[in-house]
Amino acid sequence: MLLTIMALVQTYYCTLPDERAKLYQQCVETLLLRWQRHKEAEQAEELPSVLAQLGTTQENLERLLWEIGWQAHSQQAARDEAADIPESEVMRIARNFLGGSYAKAEQFVEYTERRAHLLIGRGGQDERMFTFPHRTFQEYLAACRLASQRRFGREAAKLAAKSDSWREVLNLAAGTLVFNQKNREKAVDGINDVCPIKEPEAKDGAAWQRVWLAGEMAVVVGLNALQMDEVGQELLPRLQKLLAALLDQGRLTVQQRAEAGTALAALGDPRPGVCSKEPLMLPVITEPEQYTLREKDETITLQPFAIAKYPATNAQYRFFVEDGGYTEKWRSCWSNEGWRWKEEEKWMEPRYWQNPDYNQANQPVVGVSWYEAEAFCNWLSQTTSGSYRLPGEAEWERAAGSTDRRKYPWGDEWLADHANTDEAGLRRTSAVGMFPAGQAVCGADDVLGNVWEWVENLDSEFRTRRAVRGGSWYLDLHL
């Protein structure tokens, strides 16, 4: 039914709005009044207006629905589907909004079920039960009720700390204030209340949850809107700092942390070496060292070297793309073989560069060939004061595994929550640095999982191709 109503809204409004709160408001209005009027107009006899029958206004009728949505979500927020509401509870709420009239409450229930289809009734063991046609209607109506409260921020902060089952309600409430009510100030003030003033204690999961959900609400409001708002200007750097701390310290669940990383990407990730042009380099060894490769009986001498704390991110690679890295301007950064491949394949950016699943600013760049990685390093060397290249196989292994030739960056025992691999269940790349427990001894992040990493050498087994190390988000690395 939701898709049908979306199609109706598209017909009546020409185009679907980008903001979800605006879309859901139009869906509710269409179901409640406009769709019914359209059906009535096709009939020979005119049916009386529901507003006239109930002796109420559209605003009051919508507020009645808000209250039903609020009560439904409050009682069964953890359910994946829309909640069940006893008929007696619906009648009680309706009577409160319709002057205490039992008859009008009955009319409302009949109308919303049989004509507007905003409530779906079915027989219960003791009494009839009602539910919304889709959980999103319940969440949106609850969001409208939340947004209407005078002390919106204080209530939103309580809900954010209570459970992530209020996540969509909070985001839709922010959208309702900004896009439906044109009240950006109230939305920003509310987010300011949701966001903790200082960094929470390590074990204070409720406070860290407030950080995450405040970040998502801020994304709904928009970065530009925050930057133009007096309170938003004070809120934004605090929120960025707290979201970064959430990732760096590995707070909340893996899925929640990944969503927080997505919010931080939209708001601006302030961590050094993530969105800056130059990577944050970490010294691995400071004097020559003998190192024996883990899977080979081969000892080599490593010279002093440093490695980037994070894999190259989309934000960093964007500097290369936007500076004409794929054009004649930087032909000197490409090998002859690499340039030939680029021309034949008509590369002008990485594969998946336009895919929203992989292109947030603080995700590692993907879809990059070894030739492109080499050209990027050469470009970085020519446009900065540093000297950059891909690590050699032995250098990468030494950085990832320290001197004891351990199996994993953290030791020899597999721990599923230490890296973005198939076991983590994210099914996509994640913001860099959000698995601090899997950090290498040298301080490098994501050396295992998230994305494959190119090294300078040819593959030792298949000598015709370049080697990659570290695994990826889609691999089961519990070997």
Side-chain angles (χ1 to χ4, degrees):
M1 176 173 287
L2 183 61
L3 292 176
T4 301
I5 295 305
M6 283 180 165
L8 289 171
V9 170
Q10 185 175 28
T11 300
Y12 291 125
Y13 289 86
C14 299
T15 181
L16 289 175
D18 293 331
E19 303 86 4
R20 288 188 304 148
K22 203 181 276 187
L23 170 62
Y24 291 136
Q25 179 60 26
Q26 292 171 359
C27 287
V28 169
E29 289 182 2
T30 299
L31 281 169
L32 191 60
L33 297 171
R34 298 176 185 180
W35 173 235
Q36 185 59 37
R37 288 173 185 164
H38 173 69
K39 290 196 293 184
E40 290 169 359
E42 294 177 346
Q43 298 178 17
E45 57 181 300
E46 288 291 328
L47 295 176
S49 164
V50 64
L51 298 179
Q53 280 185 330
L54 298 177
T56 188
T57 63
Q58 179 176 339
E59 179 184 356
N60 194 55
L61 203 57
E62 289 182 4
R63 285 179 176 272
L64 194 169
L65 287 167
W66 297 355
E67 189 64 28
I68 295 174
W70 175 266
Q71 293 300 330
H73 201 78
S74 297
Q75 294 169 20
Q76 302 176 38
R79 286 183 53 164
D80 291 334
E81 65 275 5
D84 289 327
I85 320 158
E87 184 175 24
S88 58
E89 179 69 4
V90 175
M91 288 289 292
R92 182 191 66 80
I93 296 170
R95 289 179 66 185
N96 287 341
F97 280 81
L98 298 172
S101 171
Y102 189 88
K104 288 182 178 180
E106 281 191 321
Q107 284 182 301
F108 166 79
V109 171
E110 181 181 8
Y111 177 82
T112 52
E113 179 188 8
R114 298 184 181 180
R115 292 167 65 185
H117 304 296
L118 270 167
L119 289 174
I120 299 173
R122 63 178 183 275
Q125 184 174 358
D126 298 316
E127 66 174 315
R128 295 187 72 215
M129 304 296 289
F130 287 93
T131 189
F132 289 97
H134 196 280
R135 181 182 169 89
T136 52
F137 281 112
Q138 173 184 302
E139 291 170 330
Y140 172 67
L141 294 170
C144 290
R145 201 269 201 179
L146 174 61
S148 71
Q149 296 188 32
R150 181 171 298 176
R151 294 175 177 174
F152 162 67
R154 188 169 71 176
E155 184 64 30
K158 291 179 183 178
L159 296 174
K162 185 177 181 180
S163 169
D164 65 356
S165 59
W166 287 93
R167 176 190 180 192
E168 287 303 312
V169 172
L170 291 166
N171 288 338
L172 287 167
T176 294
L177 288 168
V178 173
F179 302 114
N180 293 351
Q181 300 181 15
K182 309 300 180 186
N183 194 346
R184 181 187 69 194
E185 292 76 14
K186 185 176 180 179
V188 174
D189 287 345
I191 298 168
N192 194 48
D193 289 338
V194 174
C195 182
I197 297 298
K198 61 181 182 180
E199 184 176 308
E201 297 293 329
K203 295 183 179 180
D204 192 351
W208 284 110
Q209 192 163 267
R210 286 172 56 191
V211 172
W212 160 42
L213 296 177
E216 290 202 336
M217 294 171 72
V219 172
V220 174
V221 173
L223 179 59
N224 291 338
L226 289 172
Q227 292 171 333
M228 293 187 295
D229 184 272
E230 180 181 358
V231 174
Q233 292 169 7
E234 299 175 359
L235 167 65
L236 182 59
R238 180 172 97 243
L239 190 49
Q240 291 170 327
K241 181 179 178 181
L242 290 175
L243 285 167
L246 189 158
L247 299 189
D248 288 342
Q249 297 174 30
R251 304 304 174 200
L252 303 179
T253 67
V254 169
Q255 185 62 51
Q256 291 169 339
R257 201 157 65 240
E259 299 297 345
T262 298
L264 183 57
L267 296 173
D269 194 328
R271 293 176 294 167
V274 175
C275 292
S276 55
K277 179 179 177 180
E278 290 194 71
L280 176 63
M281 301 300 292
L282 305 172
V284 180
I285 58 174
T286 56
E287 56 185 32
E289 178 182 295
Q290 296 294 304
Y291 182 77
T292 303
L293 289 166
R294 188 177 183 280
E295 296 183 357
K296 303 176 185 178
D297 189 19
E298 178 183 352
T299 299
I300 61 175
T301 300
L302 293 176
Q303 298 300 318
F305 74 99
I307 200 162
K309 179 171 177 59
Y310 308 109
T313 63
N314 288 310
Q316 291 172 323
Y317 202 84
R318 184 172 294 279
F319 287 105
F320 174 60
V321 173
E322 294 184 348
D323 192 37
Y326 285 80
T327 69
E328 287 286 349
K329 177 182 179 182
W330 293 108
R331 169 66 180 84
S332 61
C333 296
W334 295 75
S335 66
N336 290 333
E337 182 71 6
W339 187 260
R340 182 180 68 79
W341 271 93
K342 185 197 79 70
E343 292 292 282
E344 288 180 358
E345 299 296 328
K346 297 181 171 54
W347 295 337
M348 291 304 294
E349 60 187 28
R351 273 61 66 204
Y352 311 109
W353 190 243
Q354 304 299 331
N355 189 323
D357 289 337
Y358 304 108
N359 68 3
Q360 69 189 41
N362 57 11
Q363 284 176 302
V365 63
V366 296
V368 171
S369 69
W370 187 90
Y371 297 120
E372 289 162 288
E374 179 191 44
F376 171 71
C377 291
N378 291 336
W379 169 85
L380 202 55
S381 297
Q382 292 187 33
T383 58
T384 67
S385 59
S387 178
Y388 300 95
R389 59 174 174 82
L390 294 172
E393 179 183 25
E395 291 173 326
W396 186 94
E397 187 177 300
R398 171 64 177 81
S402 191
T403 58
D404 54 11
R405 303 170 68 198
R406 58 186 60 185
K407 188 173 183 179
Y408 305 111
W410 54 85
D412 290 322
E413 180 183 352
W414 173 255
L415 297 168
D417 62 347
H418 280 38
N420 182 8
T421 61
D422 183 64
E423 296 87 341
L426 293 180
R427 306 291 186 266
R428 61 183 174 89
T429 59
S430 56
V432 297
M434 63 163 272
F435 288 87
Q439 194 176 85
V441 173
C442 69
D445 285 286
D446 296 328
V447 289
L448 183 70
N450 215 358
V451 290
W452 287 107
E453 299 177 11
W454 288 112
V455 295
E456 197 172 39
N457 312 67
L458 289 171
D459 189 284
S460 57
E461 183 177 356
F462 303 97
R463 300 297 298 176
T464 58
R465 70 186 188 193
R466 298 288 175 175
V468 290
R469 293 291 181 268
S472 182
W473 60 268
Y474 56 81
L475 290 181
D476 183 341
L477 296 180
H478 185 193
L479 304 175

